[in-house]
Amino acid sequence: EAGVAGVATEAVHTSQVGEGIAPVAGVAMAMLRATQVRALYVGFGSSSELLVPPHAPSFALADSLAAAALEASRILRRPLLLHSCGCEALQQRWEAQLQAAAKAHEAAEARAYVVPGELPLAWVLSRCEVAFHHAGAGTCACALRSGVAQLLLPLVFDQFATADRLADLGVAVRLHRSAFEAADRTEG
């Protein structure tokens, strides 16, 4: 279903086939196949649950991340994949945010997709301009292998050390949660 101003909000599902994940037959994957324009990817892997209650005090960080990604998508004229990584609360929140942006005409000409389930991440990232993620080991490995630019926002455990190390090597930019929390305070 396409929202106002052309913002697509359909959920794209994958299925497990053998040892790998089959390419998705949904609109987001078709867009990645059909276009030469590289997308923006936002996904927090197994840490996605940490962005929403009850694991987070509010939806503020998840909302700020999606708002920043939508703005970047609009300015750069790049498609946006918001990957909720199986977190239903995050999926619903981001879908609502896309709908609200579409109704407000803030996302004119943007192609934004909320992808709820598994993705063939190496394949997806090889078709992206930027990967904005949590600095999880698997996502970092896929992003490094694909050569995509990385914006890292670690949330827990070894993600902080991984993000710092990749930033020190010059292959990623480490972001700090406080920047998104400050943005949320100034907008609210």
Side-chain angles (χ1 to χ4, degrees):
E1 171 182 328
V4 179
V7 175
T9 58
E10 53 270 41
V12 180
H13 299 277
T14 63
S15 60
Q16 193 76 19
V17 177
E19 295 179 357
I21 296 180
V24 180
V27 67
M29 301 302 285
M31 175 274 303
L32 286 174
R33 281 189 202 99
T35 185
Q36 296 299 314
V37 177
R38 297 172 73 76
L40 308 178
Y41 171 87
V42 177
F44 284 79
S46 60
S47 295
S48 294
E49 294 280 344
L50 300 176
L51 297 174
V52 297
H55 305 290
S58 71
F59 287 101
L61 182 57
D63 291 349
S64 292
L65 294 172
L70 278 168
E71 182 68 5
S73 174
R74 186 188 65 76
I75 290 169
L76 299 172
R77 297 177 186 240
R78 301 279 183 195
L80 173 63
L81 298 178
L82 292 169
H83 188 196
S84 60
C85 304
C87 177
E88 192 172 320
L90 185 58
Q91 172 191 343
Q92 291 171 354
R93 190 68 179 199
W94 281 351
E95 286 174 347
Q97 226 172 329
L98 291 185
Q99 289 290 348
K103 287 178 184 168
H105 301 291
E106 294 172 2
E109 301 178 23
R111 290 170 291 175
Y113 307 90
V114 173
V115 184
E118 295 181 29
L119 280 176
L121 197 54
W123 186 88
V124 168
L125 293 182
S126 71
R127 288 156 178 81
C128 289
E129 184 82 18
V130 174
F132 181 15
H133 63 92
H134 62 304
T139 307
C140 286
C142 285
L144 287 166
R145 186 172 184 198
S146 72
V148 67
Q150 296 183 72
L151 298 174
L152 306 176
L153 183 65
L155 299 174
V156 294
F157 308 125
D158 61 330
Q159 295 169 3
F160 295 98
T162 301
D164 289 340
R165 182 67 178 137
L166 292 177
D168 289 346
L169 292 170
V171 296
V173 174
R174 185 201 193 277
L175 303 174
H176 296 271
R177 188 177 187 144
S178 59
F180 294 95
E181 291 167 343
D184 183 61
R185 284 192 299 272
T186 61
E187 292 173 10

